Amino acid sequence: MGTDLGSGEQALGGIRQRLAFIPDGRTIPDEVWETRHKYFVLLVLGHVPFLVVLGLFEGTETTVTGITLPSIPLGMLLLQNGVIAAFALAAAVPRLNRRLRTVLAVTGLAFTSGTLVYVTGGYIEAHFHFFVAIGIAAIYEDWLPFGIGIAYVVLTHGIFGTIDPSRVYNHTAAQMHPWVWGLIHGAFVAMLAAALTVHLSSIEQSRRNAQHELERARERATEIENLEKRQAEIEEEKQEAQRLKAEAERERAEVEELNDHLQTKAEAYQHAMEQVAAGDLTVRVDSESDSDAMVGIGETFNGMVGDIETTIAQIQSFAEVVQEQTDAADTSTRQAAAASDSVSTSVQEMATATEDQRQMLDEVAGEMSDLSATVEEVAASAQEVTQVSAETTEIATDGQALADDMIADAEQVQASIETAAETVAELRHRWTRSRR
């Protein structure tokens, strides 16, 4: 059972695949179809005056063909041509869909074939127009016009051949058997339609393949365009990368140059600091640099060394002043000591000579006043010397304290120099390690 169902589905699939090759005209672009349809309708309408003139002619035409045409009632002639014009005009209405307009136009052309056969009295040559009409209807690339043509041939030949066979056939066999010969004519038209269908199917398949290839070509063109755009983007990115690389190389060169400059400056600063640490306060560094930090260090170093040098000079100058004052104080002290020793000796001599001079009291009574004045002057001098000595001692003490403060400041400056030297050495060590 399952096998039968599978076979049936395969057969149905095969039928659908074959039916897909039957042309239906949908692959024709609208603008192409409109152009073809317009000329088809004009062709149908162009038959009307020709058929009217041919239908009005009666008798034998002896000049060219020798054909004998029957008498056609004017009403019937106008009716048939009116039907043809009505189909053609209806097919020209743009509001109708393409398939319906195709059917109307092809039916109008089929009526022209039937009318031609009618007005000629059934000449077999007039039947050729059916084949021409089928060939012209092939421009729609649709199987439906072929079906209409085949049906029209069979039905009109059978029905009108039965009503008035002399208007459809011009030989006795067909007049006696109108449906048989209608089927024969329909069969030939069907074979022509089949041949055209195969041909149109091939054209439609080619068009589909061409459309598919066109779509693929468009996709490839789009891909190529995208690739070209991407290539252009890549080229731009490449140029940007090259620019960034060049900029990076330039920055790297600048960094290396700056590093070399910093190393040179650091070595110069270190050497200068070592000289300052050794006691040479006349050393100065070149503070000009591409690095603001190095400029600041150089200027600070020069200012610091200048301040230290000025401070040391002031200390030396003040020390000289203190030394001079100290020497002067020592001289005054020695003079005061000498004066004190002289007074002491005089007192001792006076004490020793008291007994001897007791007798001379009366003689020196007048001189005691002078001696008292002298003693008072000596005492005043000793007091003045003592005061000067105290002031000198105070000045010396203050000078010593100031000297101690200056020495402490100098030690702090020395410590600052050593700290700066260590900082520069540490920066140089870090820079050397980063270079590695």
Side-chain angles (χ1 to χ4, degrees), residues 143-399:
W143 65 269
L144 186 58
F146 298 155
I148 294 173
I150 295 170
Y152 183 86
V153 168
V154 173
L155 292 176
T156 56
H157 282 61
I159 294 173
F160 291 107
T162 301
I163 297 174
D164 189 357
S166 62
R167 296 292 185 179
V168 181
Y169 305 106
N170 66 346
H171 57 90
T172 304
Q175 292 175 356
M176 296 298 295
H177 306 280
W179 282 101
V180 173
W181 284 92
L183 292 173
I184 292 174
H185 284 210
F188 281 107
V189 172
M191 286 187 286
L192 174 61
L196 292 174
T197 300
V198 172
H199 177 65
L200 294 176
S201 177
S202 176
I203 293 175
E204 184 167 308
Q205 186 63 30
S206 298
R207 183 182 289 114
R208 289 177 178 174
N209 293 336
Q211 184 67 25
H212 180 66
E213 292 297 328
L214 179 60
E215 291 177 357
R216 291 182 58 187
R218 288 175 179 172
E219 292 177 357
R220 292 176 182 175
T222 302
E223 292 177 357
I224 292 174
E225 184 178 359
N226 293 334
L227 289 175
E228 290 177 350
K229 290 181 179 179
R230 181 54 184 164
Q231 185 177 4
E233 292 176 356
I234 292 174
E235 187 66 24
E236 292 178 357
E237 292 175 356
K238 182 179 179 181
Q239 293 177 357
E240 181 66 16
Q242 291 177 350
R243 187 186 65 80
L244 293 176
K245 181 179 179 181
E247 185 176 351
E249 290 291 337
R250 180 179 58 78
E251 291 178 354
R252 184 176 65 83
E254 291 178 356
V255 169
E256 290 181 354
E257 183 179 358
L258 180 59
N259 288 336
D260 294 338
H261 173 73
L262 291 177
Q263 184 179 8
T264 303
K265 281 292 183 181
E267 292 175 352
Y269 286 5
Q270 183 179 7
H271 179 67
M273 290 178 181
E274 290 175 353
Q275 289 180 312
V276 171
D280 186 3
L281 298 179
T282 62
V283 177
R284 297 293 186 273
V285 297
D286 182 10
S287 62
E288 294 294 330
S289 175
D290 295 334
S291 173
D292 295 337
M294 297 303 288
V295 171
I297 292 174
E299 292 177 351
T300 301
F301 176 80
N302 290 336
M304 180 181 65
V305 174
D307 292 340
I308 292 173
E309 185 178 13
T310 301
T311 301
I312 295 299
Q314 291 176 354
I315 291 173
Q316 291 177 349
S317 176
F318 185 75
E320 292 175 356
V321 173
V322 170
Q323 184 65 37
E324 292 177 357
Q325 293 180 355
T326 301
D327 292 341
D330 289 341
T331 302
S332 299
T333 301
R334 285 195 297 271
Q335 291 176 355
S340 178
D341 290 338
S342 177
V343 171
S344 178
T345 302
S346 299
V347 172
Q348 288 177 358
E349 291 178 353
M350 289 170 63
T352 304
T354 301
E355 292 296 335
D356 295 335
Q357 293 176 355
R358 189 181 300 272
Q359 297 175 1
M360 300 172 63
L361 288 174
D362 293 336
E363 297 178 359
V364 296
E367 297 179 359
M368 286 300 293
S369 299
D370 297 333
L371 179 60
S372 297
T374 302
V375 171
E376 290 177 359
E377 291 178 359
V378 170
S381 298
Q383 185 178 1
E384 184 178 356
V385 170
T386 302
Q387 184 177 359
V388 171
S389 178
E391 292 177 356
T392 301
T393 303
E394 184 179 357
I395 292 173
T397 302
D398 294 339

